[in-house]
């Protein structure tokens, strides 16, 4: 279906539907799948020329940051779209003019689990209603007359309106007004009285011009009637959409705008990101709404690493700390937490973090000390102390607190993660591995998203000053990559799996791969050792000796403590291994690696890359002697002990010759064993890549890659903590003809960490403009 160019927006992205209204239908059907905050808001409009026989066109885009405190503010956004269509500059042109005839704005309420929708007819009235998870519709609390007046004021605030236009708009309002209300508002046909009425529900950026209804001076607010002569809301019947529901919707929209703004894993076509808080008054309004809903914060869910959302660990607190923390302005958040701490003592952990961010460490320590007397079992409070002690270099003290946090919340991943991190800081790598092995892993539930629909056309406009220096959004040869790079399993890790893998990469960055394998074999029972010990036990049982020799060495428990235990050997050998979690993802490695359960009898296997498998293991064509030499540098990890397997005759013979005991070893979890294989794949590819770079440099030959390959290698460098090489790869990626947002976002973070403010601002400007982002945290204005 051909879409005429005159129907497109000038600077707003949009997707054109194949069937009119299918985007709204798809959202309604997907409401029951929204688990937490919900997806970004959906704005759907119908464009028409008004001519008979001309088909109407439906388009939609996703947006975050729009004020969702009332139906008027959502309708005002739809009204602003009427002025965003490209206008035909030729006055004598016979082409029909396209206009926005009606629109629908959808905003999910994460607290009450309903979808707030506002239908706007231009010209005409506004109808706000609620869609529950079953798709059933309920009328909104505010009546049509009230909404129409508020939307009428949005029109007045955006452009000058003549007396005739005002009368016509008010006639449409009367048509939408219930019969019981029409007698009360019929006297408002007078333009002067109507303006006086409207001035009571408008707020201007300049208080001295409150009564001015000129262009772009007034902005609509909620249904608040300051004029005592206009108690219109008293005549209207309210249903489910109460002011409390609108307040929940407002906070839900703000949290999505804050938390989804820079999430690298959340991408949508035609996603427009606006600044949800544009001034200090809006910030104060956000804090007041967040304070009112603070006790309900657990209802909106939490990060995937948190198993159970609490009053201090949820999306609401995460959004508050992210908004004020990223801008370094903790004072406003601290003021709110102080008021909440009176009836929620656990909030003292957030208050302490805020004061630490304000460099008021003495006050933060006093708050923590007092709070520990009331809530000594709060792991969030213990973690606040751990983080503070780490900044002071007191790792031994922090470890003791982290152990206590594990005892307080043993089912939470973050407590074990914090303890593992501290063991790495102390250099106790064996205890770090054992603690990592004990981490509870959760099924990853990604952010709520819309279902992808086939579209007739994707319109992604760009700013000409920026667009001319960026590549086209089309597929090119730079979007191709070597299959060996595309098959790397690490980019697919999410949630607790990704966090655990990050700890593993930190370990290998500090001690190296070979030392990591030695530490692993010293704390975990390896596959071959388990087979030989089992064979030895069978032999002794046949000979009449039914008990295995018990060791006298200390046992290293999961929290790092060492305890003497005579039955330690039976813990690791005789006790059956814990059943595999039913939802642990199977991590697939490249085909040039041996089976995960295959083990080298000698305990060490050298990874060799054969010449005939170049398309599987190598990135580019490289001399065979270089590939074999590089591959030998990365030792393939041996499979740790797991399920029972059949004993062969050679294993039995070895068991008779050399007995084993594992008084200080544990069984490795299968998911951690798989992560070692994932890490091996990353290290193998990275080692080959760096060897190739050195080889081509010595030959004085340019080393070339596609843009997609440079981006993958940049991500690989970030995962393995090689930041300089990763930055170089991202810069090389931008030199190509491939369009991608990730290199810009990554470089922006790297330049900011290095203190290169000029380059960071340049990259941020390109990133924000090209991604339709207008999100800047307010400063001290």
């Amino acid at each position: 279906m051909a879409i005429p160019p005159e129907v497109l927006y000038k600077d707003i992205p949009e997707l054109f539907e194949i069937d009119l209204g299918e985007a709204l239908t798809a959202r309604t059907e997907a409401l029951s799948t929204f688990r937490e905050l919900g997806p970004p808001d959906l704005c759907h409009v119908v464009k028409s020329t008004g001519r008979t026989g001309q088909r109407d066109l439906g388009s939609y885009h996703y947006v975050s940051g729009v004020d969702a405190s009332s139906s008027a503010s959502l309708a005002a956004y739809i009204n602003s779209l009427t002025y965003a269509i490209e206008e035909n500059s030729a006055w004598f042109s016979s082409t029909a003019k396209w206009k926005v005839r009606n629109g629908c704005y959808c905003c999910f309420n994460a607290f009450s689990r309903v979808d707030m929708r506002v239908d706007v007819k231009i010209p005409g009235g506004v109808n706000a209603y609620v869609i529950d998870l079953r798709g059933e519709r309920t009328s909104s609390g505010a009546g049509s007359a009230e909404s129409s007046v508020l939307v009428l004021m949005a029109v007045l605030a955006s452009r000058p309106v003549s007396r005739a236009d005002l009368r016509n708009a008010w006639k449409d309002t009367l048509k939408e007004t219930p019969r019981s209300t029409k007698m009360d508002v019929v006297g408002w046909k007078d333009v002067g009285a109507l303006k006086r009425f409207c001035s009571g529900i408008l707020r201007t950026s300049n208080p001295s011009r409150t009564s001015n209804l000129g262009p772009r001076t007034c902005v609509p607010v909620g249904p608040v009637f300051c004029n005592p002569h206009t108690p219109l809301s008293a005549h209207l019947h309210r249903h489910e959409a109460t002011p409390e529901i609108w307040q929940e919707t407002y906070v839900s929209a703000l949290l999505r705008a804050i938390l989804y703004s820079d999430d690298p894993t959340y991408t949508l076509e035609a996603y427009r990101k606006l600044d949800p808080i544009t001034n200090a008054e809006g910030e104060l309004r956000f804090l007041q709404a967040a304070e009112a809903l603070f006790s309900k914060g657990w209802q909106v869910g939490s990060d995937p690493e948190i198993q159970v959302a609490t009053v201090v660990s949820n999306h609401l607190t995460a959004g508050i700390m992210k908004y004020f923390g990223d801008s370094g302005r903790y004072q406003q958040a601290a003021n709110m937490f102080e008021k909440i701490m009176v009836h929620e003592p656990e909030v003292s952990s957030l208050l302490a973090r805020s004061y630490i961010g304000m460099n008021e460490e003495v006050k933060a320590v006093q708050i923590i000390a007092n709070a520990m007397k009331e809530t000594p079992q709060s792991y969030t409070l213990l973690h606040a102390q751990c983080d503070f002690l780490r900044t002071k270099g007191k790792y031994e003290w922090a470890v003791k607190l982290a152990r206590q946090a594990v005892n307080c919340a043993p089912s939470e991943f973050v407590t074990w993660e914090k303890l593992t991190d501290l063991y790495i800081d102390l250099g106790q790598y064996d205890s770090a591995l054992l603690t990592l092995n004990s981490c509870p892993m959760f099924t990853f539930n990604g952010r709520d998203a819309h279902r992808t629909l086939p579209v007739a056309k994707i319109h992604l406009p760009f700013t000409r000053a920026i667009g001319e220096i960026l590549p086209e959004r089309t597929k090119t040869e730079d979007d191709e990559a070597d299959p060996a790079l595309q098959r790397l399993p690490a980019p697919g890790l999410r949630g607790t799996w990704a966090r655990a893998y990050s700890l593993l990469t930190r370990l290998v960055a500090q001690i190296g791969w070979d030392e990591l394998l030695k530490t692993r074999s010293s704390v975990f029972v390896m596959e071959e050792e388990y087979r030989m010990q089992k064979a030895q036990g069978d032999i002794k049982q046949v000979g009449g000796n039914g008990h295995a020799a018990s060791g006298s060495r200390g046992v290293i428990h999961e929290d790092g403590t060492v305890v003497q235990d005579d039955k330690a050997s039976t813990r690791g050998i005789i006790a059956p291994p814990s059943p595999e979690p039913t939802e642990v993802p199977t991590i697939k490695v490249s085909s040039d690696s041996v089976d995960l359960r295959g083990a080298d009898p000698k305990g060490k296997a050298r990874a060799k890359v054969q010449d005939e498998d170049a398309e599987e293991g190598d990135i580019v064509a490289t001399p065979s002697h270089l590939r074999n030499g590089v591959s030998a540098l990365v030792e393939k990890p041996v499979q740790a002990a797991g399920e029972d397997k059949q004993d062969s005759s050679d294993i039995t013979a070895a068991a008779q010759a050399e007995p084993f005991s594992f008084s200080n070893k544990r069984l490795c979890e299968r998911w951690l064993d798989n992560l070692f294989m994932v890490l091996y794949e990353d290290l193998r590819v990275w080692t080959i890549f760096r060897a190739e770079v050195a080889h081509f440099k010595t030959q004085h030959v340019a080393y070339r890659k596609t843009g997609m390959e440079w981006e993958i290698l940049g991500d690989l460098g970030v995962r393995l903590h090689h930041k300089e090489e990763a930055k170089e790869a991202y810069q090389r990626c931008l030199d190509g003809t491939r369009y991608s947002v990730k290199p810009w976002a990554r470089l922006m973070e790297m330049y900011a960490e290095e203190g290169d403010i000029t380059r960071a601002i340049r990259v941020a400007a390109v990133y924000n403009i090209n991604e339709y982002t207008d999100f800047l945290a307010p400063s001290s204005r």
Side-chain angles (χ1 to χ4, degrees), residues 56-331:
D56 294 344
L57 297 178
S59 74
Y60 61 95
H61 65 275
Y62 308 108
V63 61
S64 61
V66 178
D67 181 10
S69 59
S70 67
S71 59
S73 56
L74 299 183
Y77 176 78
I78 295 179
N79 177 73
S80 67
L81 300 179
T82 60
Y83 309 103
I85 299 179
E86 289 278 7
E87 296 182 0
N88 194 343
S89 59
W91 61 272
F92 52 84
S93 175
S94 59
T95 306
K97 185 178 180 180
W98 289 85
K99 296 182 179 180
V100 176
R101 294 303 180 190
N102 57 71
C104 179
Y105 194 99
C106 310
C107 185
F108 186 71
N109 183 336
F111 292 89
S112 299
R113 320 300 300 168
V114 295
D115 202 33
M116 303 296 295
R117 299 192 180 181
V118 176
D119 285 342
V120 179
K121 297 179 181 179
I122 303 175
V126 172
N127 183 23
Y129 55 94
V130 178
I131 299 290
D132 59 18
L133 298 182
R134 296 172 297 178
E136 297 180 359
R137 174 172 172 171
T138 306
S139 177
S140 173
S144 300
E146 177 184 339
S147 300
S148 298
V149 171
L150 294 175
V151 173
L152 176 61
M153 286 299 91
V155 176
L156 292 175
S158 59
R159 62 183 177 86
V161 181
S162 64
R163 186 183 182 92
D165 290 340
L166 189 59
R167 289 188 181 278
N168 293 334
W170 186 243
K171 288 179 181 179
D172 295 329
T173 300
L174 293 178
K175 293 178 182 178
E176 298 292 330
T177 306
R179 182 181 300 272
S180 59
T181 309
K182 197 171 293 186
M183 296 302 295
D184 295 317
V185 300
V186 71
W188 292 104
K189 290 183 179 181
D190 179 73
V191 176
L194 180 59
K195 284 188 176 183
R196 287 193 298 272
F197 165 76
C198 294
S199 65
I201 58 173
L202 290 177
R203 173 172 53 86
T204 66
S205 56
N206 186 356
S208 63
R209 303 177 62 185
T210 303
S211 61
N212 184 5
L213 297 179
R216 304 192 183 281
T217 59
C218 300
V219 293
V221 296
V224 180
F225 296 91
C226 303
N227 193 324
H229 301 288
T230 58
L232 188 59
S233 59
H235 301 279
L236 302 176
H237 180 65
R238 292 188 177 273
H239 297 280
E240 290 187 3
T242 61
E244 289 76 16
I245 294 293
W246 278 112
Q247 186 182 57
E248 293 174 355
T249 307
Y250 166 70
V251 175
S252 300
L254 276 176
L255 293 179
R256 284 191 294 268
I258 294 171
L259 297 177
Y260 293 2
S261 61
D262 56 354
D263 189 347
T265 63
Y266 197 87
T267 56
L268 282 175
E269 290 283 4
Y271 184 14
R272 189 184 185 195
K273 304 174 186 178
L274 303 177
D275 190 354
I277 302 175
T278 57
N279 50 41
E281 290 155 348
E283 186 176 280
L284 179 61
R285 187 180 174 194
F286 167 51
L287 288 173
Q288 292 173 348
E291 181 182 354
L293 298 174
F294 196 86
S295 59
K296 298 181 180 180
W298 61 272
Q299 298 179 7
V300 300
S302 61
D303 292 334
E305 296 81 18
I306 304 295
Q307 186 179 24
V308 179
T310 63
V311 70
V312 295
S313 299
N314 54 65
H315 286 311
L316 178 58
T317 57
I320 295 172
M321 296 300 290
K322 176 179 173 58
Y323 178 79
F324 292 102
D326 289 352
S327 58
R329 296 157 49 256
Y330 287 98
Q331 182 63 55

Side-chain angles (χ1 to χ4, degrees), residues 533-548 647 652 656:
Q533 179 68 17
K534 190 174 185 300
Q536 180 184 0
D538 293 342
I539 293 173
K540 288 184 178 182
Q541 187 174 4
V542 173
N545 185 7
H547 299 283
D647 299 329
T652 304
Q656 292 175 347

